[in-house]
Amino acid sequence: MIKPFCEQGEAEVQPNPATMEEAQLLSDQQEQSGDHSERAGSLMLERREERMPSMLGRLAEIDLVALDAAVAVGAAGERARRLLANRRRISPTRPAHLLLHAHNPHEEDQAKAAAAQLAPLVAAVHLRRLRSRSEVAREALRLHQQLWPDVPEAQRKPRLLLLIRRGGAGTPQFIAPFVGGAGTTCGAWTPIVAYRRGRQTWIAGTRSPEEERGAEPIRGFLRGNYAQGVCPVECSFCYLRGLQGMGLKSVALNLEEVMPELDRLPQGSVVNWAELGGPVEEDPWFVDEHGRGSLVQTILDLASARGIVSFFLTKGVYEPYLQLEGRLALVAISLNPAAISAQFEPGGAPPEARLRGLAWAIDHGAFDHTIRLGPIIPVAGYRAAYHELFAQIRDILGSRLKRMTVDILRFSPQMPRVLKASLPEEQVAPLLAELEPEVVAHKYRPSAVRQQRLYRWVRLLLERYDLGQVQTTPCKADPGEALQFLKAGVISSMPCACHISYRLRAQLQRSPLPIINRTLQK
């Protein structure tokens, strides 16, 4: 069903009644047969999870997909088609609705052509001509309210997905330096990634030495952004809860337009694609049944061919459809024991699955790897839970694991208020109780004494479980405090999770292009 173009605010048709009846019938049948078929249902779920990537099931929670007509054709449009096909496949009785928005006459023609192709995959296509792309989020929320009036307002945003063109109608910028690490090890112990003079900031190495001479050097990392706010893990402690404007998930489909930015970067640079969303978690949404269409693979191939390292961090799983051999993939998992993960990371993959995914990536050509441990949260029984976790790390990774970034709980000043407003007290209390009342280095964090005890404890766990070869480093710690931890021998001096070593960086800088399809590190 395709709804004709209409201006914002016009009346809209309700969802397809047949689709709603099919969903209700299925729900009734499941309820009637639930008691006597619990075991069979469990086996079916296990078999389905064996067949599909771990995070694909979360796509079924998306009710409404908004697609920019500017990325509704060509390679970008094919990515949108695969997502909608996957959405239909995993939830055939409750397909999503599609909001197709255009912003000029040319895009209207593109939208109409895309609507004809995509209509069989969705419950209905809603065509809109909007004056500005800034109206898209509001229009998507308005349409969701109209189609699903009984959904609580707090639950609407997680059920929307925006498929966008990065850059809107202008020139896209996918990569920018993170310059907010002042006062932390991220701004003191990392490579120089940018220079600043007055109000101008630029990536190091992209201008002449004469321009950089005398400018202020900035340490940190390069942040790539094509998946923003997408992460389906929904961590209680994540600072993204307080960011992202209207809080809607968005994925840019015009990935090939990142090439001019990659071409300007110095060879050996590392781009962190995981800072603003969950690109690995949502990647299976775009991959067909033959493993084709990965956005992670596209970015990885484009960057590797130019000698640029792509950093990915996930609470999901590195799936076997990825081709890592010869690519410059720095892969990492964020890890907590199952007891903590179930409470504070409800949408994440089980820790054992994350570890097995990392082991697969290491064995299949990952250039470098790390574990980001934590944040460590002292819930009841957490010590025993970490012993179990380190036993899993030993059994699954063993001597292959070389480094670990230990993440201590830290909050920006606004986060306590955000948490108290959105989560139950029993979940918020353990988080806030771990923090000192003062803001240090822009964050609430545990005391230096408490941090040192935690780092020492992690060191002892590594030794206890035959993982003594693993180096540890803090994430965004206070440099003065971290220096004392280093002198005490409870952490190592090494790159944090989103960097490779200086040795590997120098090796890449000396290597001739093309680097892709040629393994540099064994």
Side-chain angles (χ1 to χ4, degrees):
M1 184 191 309
I2 301 177
K3 313 295 175 57
F5 273 105
C6 59
E7 295 295 333
Q8 180 178 0
E10 285 189 19
E12 190 53 82
V13 180
Q14 293 300 311
N16 186 337
T19 302
M20 296 174 65
E21 289 173 4
E22 290 170 359
Q24 185 62 55
L25 177 60
L26 178 63
S27 176
D28 292 344
Q29 291 172 339
Q30 291 172 338
E31 183 176 346
Q32 291 167 6
S33 61
D35 292 339
H36 65 269
S37 62
E38 182 176 351
R39 176 173 173 78
S42 177
L43 289 172
M44 287 178 63
L45 179 60
E46 290 175 6
R47 290 169 184 159
R48 188 185 74 174
E49 289 177 344
E50 288 175 0
R51 291 196 307 269
M52 69 168 58
S54 62
M55 288 292 171
L56 183 56
R58 301 302 299 272
L59 180 58
E61 299 171 11
I62 301 296
D63 296 326
L64 177 63
V65 177
L67 174 61
D68 192 325
V71 287
V73 297
E78 179 60 20
R79 291 169 183 138
R81 188 200 65 77
R82 281 194 302 269
L83 177 134
L84 292 173
N86 282 329
R87 174 64 177 78
R88 178 101 193 190
R89 175 167 60 89
I90 63 178
S91 185
T93 62
R94 198 182 65 86
H97 284 244
L98 177 63
L99 169 61
L100 244 173
H101 54 94
H103 306 273
N104 56 53
H106 174 64
E107 289 182 2
E108 281 195 11
D109 292 338
Q110 289 181 311
K112 290 174 183 176
Q117 180 188 23
L118 300 176
L121 302 176
V122 296
V125 179
H126 309 266
L127 296 172
R128 291 288 189 277
R129 171 71 181 269
L130 301 178
R131 292 180 293 274
S132 165
R133 285 176 168 84
S134 63
E135 300 175 356
V136 174
R138 286 190 294 271
E139 178 61 16
L141 280 169
R142 188 196 70 81
L143 180 56
H144 194 279
Q145 290 166 346
Q146 186 172 339
L147 295 174
W148 294 276
D150 297 329
V151 171
E153 291 303 312
Q155 297 179 17
R156 292 193 189 279
K157 291 179 182 178
R159 297 167 74 163
L160 303 177
L161 175 64
L162 311 184
L163 301 180
I164 67 171
R165 178 187 182 272
R166 186 75 183 159
T171 302
Q173 182 185 27
F174 286 87
I175 302 169
F178 173 75
V179 296
T184 73
T185 50
C186 187
W189 288 14
T190 49
I192 294 171
V193 296
Y195 285 92
R196 180 162 49 205
R197 177 182 284 114
R199 295 185 177 181
Q200 285 192 329
T201 301
W202 64 91
I203 295 173
T206 59
R207 295 190 182 183
S208 68
E210 290 73 20
E211 286 186 271
E212 293 185 344
R213 193 173 297 120
E216 175 192 1
I218 303 173
R219 298 180 183 274
F221 61 88
L222 297 180
R223 182 168 62 192
N225 181 13
Y226 73 83
Q228 182 166 305
V230 165
C231 183
V233 180
E234 300 173 357
C235 299
S236 308
F237 45 77
C238 183
Y239 67 88
L240 291 179
R241 295 176 62 87
L243 300 178
Q244 311 310 343
M246 297 188 72
L248 298 182
K249 300 180 286 290
S250 66
V251 180
L253 301 185
N254 56 323
L255 298 185
E256 286 74 14
E257 293 189 75
V258 73
M259 287 191 284
E261 294 177 78
L262 292 172
D263 287 334
R264 289 193 294 269
L265 293 181
Q267 191 169 318
S269 299
V270 180
V271 179
N272 178 344
W273 294 97
E275 182 69 11
L276 294 174
V280 176
E281 286 88 343
E282 51 83 17
D283 196 51
W285 298 0
F286 295 89
V287 177
D288 68 16
E289 60 271 23
H290 303 293
R292 297 174 302 212
S294 165
L295 306 192
V296 166
Q297 190 72 53
T298 299
I299 287 291
L300 182 55
D301 288 352
L302 291 173
S304 296
R306 292 159 173 80
I308 308 301
V309 180
S310 298
F311 169 67
F312 295 103
L313 173 70
T314 183
K315 288 186 174 72
V317 175
Y318 291 102
E319 303 288 353
Y321 59 71
L322 291 173
Q323 299 175 44
L324 304 180
E325 188 67 41
R327 276 76 169 179
L328 300 180
L330 170 54
V331 295
I333 57 171
S334 184
L335 195 64
N336 249 322
I340 294 177
S341 181
Q343 181 177 353
F344 295 98
E345 307 167 351
E352 182 178 355
R354 301 182 207 181
L355 283 166
R356 294 196 182 282
L358 181 61
W360 174 87
I362 294 170
D363 291 342
H364 288 80
F367 180 66
D368 199 2
H369 67 273
T370 188
I371 286 177
R372 185 170 177 172
L373 183 73
I376 299 173
I377 304 171
V379 299
Y382 79 102
R383 289 184 176 273
Y386 272 96
H387 277 274
E388 293 175 5
L389 179 66
F390 275 71
Q392 282 185 325
I393 296 173
R394 175 200 60 200
D395 295 343
I396 295 173
L397 292 177
S399 61
R400 288 175 291 183
L401 181 63
K402 303 303 180 188
R403 60 191 182 104
M404 176 182 287
T405 298
V406 182
D407 199 2
I408 302 296
L409 197 65
R410 61 191 187 280
F411 285 158
S412 54
Q414 70 270 22
M415 272 299 292
R417 174 178 49 81
V418 172
L419 292 173
K420 289 177 181 178
S422 58
L423 294 172
E425 173 63 22
E426 61 269 19
Q427 198 169 7
V428 177
L431 300 175
L432 300 185
E434 185 73 356
L435 308 177
E436 286 282 277
E438 296 86 14
V439 174
V440 178
H442 318 303
K443 303 286 184 181
Y444 293 105
R445 64 180 76 237
S447 68
V449 172
R450 172 64 171 156
Q451 291 178 60
Q452 182 163 330
R453 288 175 179 169
L454 289 171
Y455 292 130
R456 187 183 302 278
W457 179 55
V458 170
R459 186 75 258 159
L460 292 173
L461 284 171
L462 289 168
E463 299 290 346
R464 168 79 176 271
Y465 290 95
D466 301 321
L467 296 165
Q469 81 281 356
V470 176
Q471 291 186 302
T472 59
T473 194
C475 181
K476 293 187 175 69
D478 176 86
E481 294 174 349
L483 183 60
Q484 298 306 310
F485 307 151
L486 181 62
K487 290 179 178 178
V490 297
I491 61 170
S492 312
S493 177
M494 53 164 280
C496 59
C498 51
H499 279 285
I500 58 175
S501 69
Y502 283 97
R503 177 183 61 82
L504 283 179
R505 191 170 177 234
Q507 182 182 356
L508 285 175
Q509 290 170 341
R510 294 192 301 266
S511 181
L513 291 173
I515 291 174
I516 196 169
N517 296 326
R518 180 165 51 84
T519 303
L520 297 179
Q521 183 193 28
K522 297 295 183 184

